[in-house]
Amino acid sequence: MANLWGIGVDTKTQGTVHSRSLKLPPNKPQQVSDYLVCISKLKNQETDLLQQLTEVRKENRQLKTLHYHTTVALQHYQEAQNSFPETITKHTNEVQALHALIHDTGACRNRNAAKLKATKDKLVETKDSLKNLKQVTQDHSLREREKLTCMLNEASAQLVEKDKRIQDMEKHIRLSQAWYNRQLASKQE
C-alpha cells in the first residue's frame, strides 16, 4: 500500500516500512519557463502597485494638508466675523463654499484612505501569490502545480481588476483636484 510520498508497507515483512524513491512526473521545461514568466510579471505588477501606493499616500497627505489649511482659514474667518460684523453678509457665500470644500475634501480623503487600504491588502495578496509561485518552481508535486496555476490565474484576474480600480481612482483624483483648483481660483478673484 503506497502513500503520496512513495513510502509503503512491505506486506512480506508484516508491516515494516521501507522507503522508495519519490516518483514525480518529469519536469517540463516549458511549464517552469511559464512559471518564471508569471513570476516576473507579478514582480512588475508588485512594483507598479507599490508605486501607485506611494502616489496615493502622497496625495492623501496633500489632501490632509489642504483640509488642515482650509479648516484654519475657516476658523480665522469665523473669528473675523465676530470682530467685523459688516463683513458677514459679504462673505456668507464664501463660508458656505468653504464648508462644502471641507466636506468634499474630507470625503475624498476618506475614500482615498479606503482605497489605500484595499491597495495594501491587494499587495499582500500579490506577495503571497508570488511566494507560492516561487515555491512551485522548486516543488515537484503535480497537484501543487495545478493548484498554484489556478491561484495564479485568479491573482492575475484580480490584478487586472485592481488596475482598473486604480485607474478610476486616479481619474477621480485628477477631476477632484481640477475642481478644487477652479473653486480656489474663483474664490481668489
Side-chain angles (χ1 to χ4, degrees):
M1 170 173 21
N3 65 15
L4 182 62
W5 299 103
I7 300 173
V9 176
D10 187 354
T11 56
K12 292 178 185 175
T13 58
Q14 297 179 357
T16 59
V17 177
H18 67 88
S19 70
R20 290 184 279 179
S21 63
L22 186 60
K23 293 182 182 179
L24 298 172
N27 275 341
K28 294 182 181 176
Q30 182 61 38
Q31 285 179 331
V32 172
S33 176
D34 289 346
Y35 287 132
L36 292 174
V37 168
C38 289
I39 287 171
S40 176
K41 287 180 182 179
L42 282 173
K43 282 183 180 179
N44 290 338
Q45 290 174 351
E46 178 185 21
T47 302
D48 291 342
L49 283 172
L50 285 170
Q51 183 179 2
Q52 292 170 4
L53 182 64
T54 301
E55 291 171 4
V56 169
R57 283 180 177 161
K58 181 180 177 184
E59 189 157 339
N60 201 27
R61 283 192 301 271
Q62 290 172 345
L63 285 171
K64 285 180 182 178
T65 302
L66 174 64
H67 185 264
Y68 170 76
H69 289 300
T70 306
T71 303
V72 169
L74 182 59
Q75 288 172 350
H76 287 299
Y77 178 76
Q78 289 173 343
E79 291 171 5
Q81 276 185 329
N82 294 334
S83 60
F84 303 107
E86 64 274 3
T87 60
I88 292 175
T89 55
K90 179 182 175 185
H91 297 290
T92 301
N93 289 339
E94 289 181 36
V95 171
Q96 291 173 351
L98 284 174
H99 278 292
L101 184 59
I102 289 170
H103 175 72
D104 290 345
T105 302
C108 186
R109 186 188 72 230
N110 292 341
R111 285 191 302 273
N112 281 342
K115 290 176 183 176
L116 182 63
K117 183 185 181 316
T119 302
K120 284 179 183 178
D121 293 344
K122 186 62 181 177
L123 186 58
V124 168
E125 288 177 22
T126 302
K127 285 181 179 181
D128 289 343
S129 295
L130 182 60
K131 181 181 175 184
N132 288 336
L133 283 172
K134 284 180 181 179
Q135 289 175 349
V136 81
T137 60
Q138 299 169 354
D139 188 2
H140 300 289
S141 169
L142 181 60
R143 288 183 186 167
E144 184 66 19
R145 278 191 234 159
E146 290 173 355
K147 179 181 175 184
L148 289 174
T149 299
C150 291
M151 290 171 60
L152 174 63
N153 292 338
E154 185 179 317
S156 296
Q158 290 174 352
L159 285 172
V160 167
E161 182 62 30
K162 184 64 182 171
D163 187 45
K164 289 179 185 176
R165 282 189 267 155
I166 288 173
Q167 289 174 357
D168 291 345
M169 181 176 70
E170 289 173 345
K171 180 180 176 183
H172 176 73
I173 289 171
R174 284 193 302 272
L175 292 174
S176 296
Q177 186 66 36
W179 178 85
Y180 174 74
N181 289 338
R182 287 192 306 270
Q183 293 296 323
L184 190 60
S186 69
K187 297 302 175 195
Q188 290 177 350
E189 293 175 0

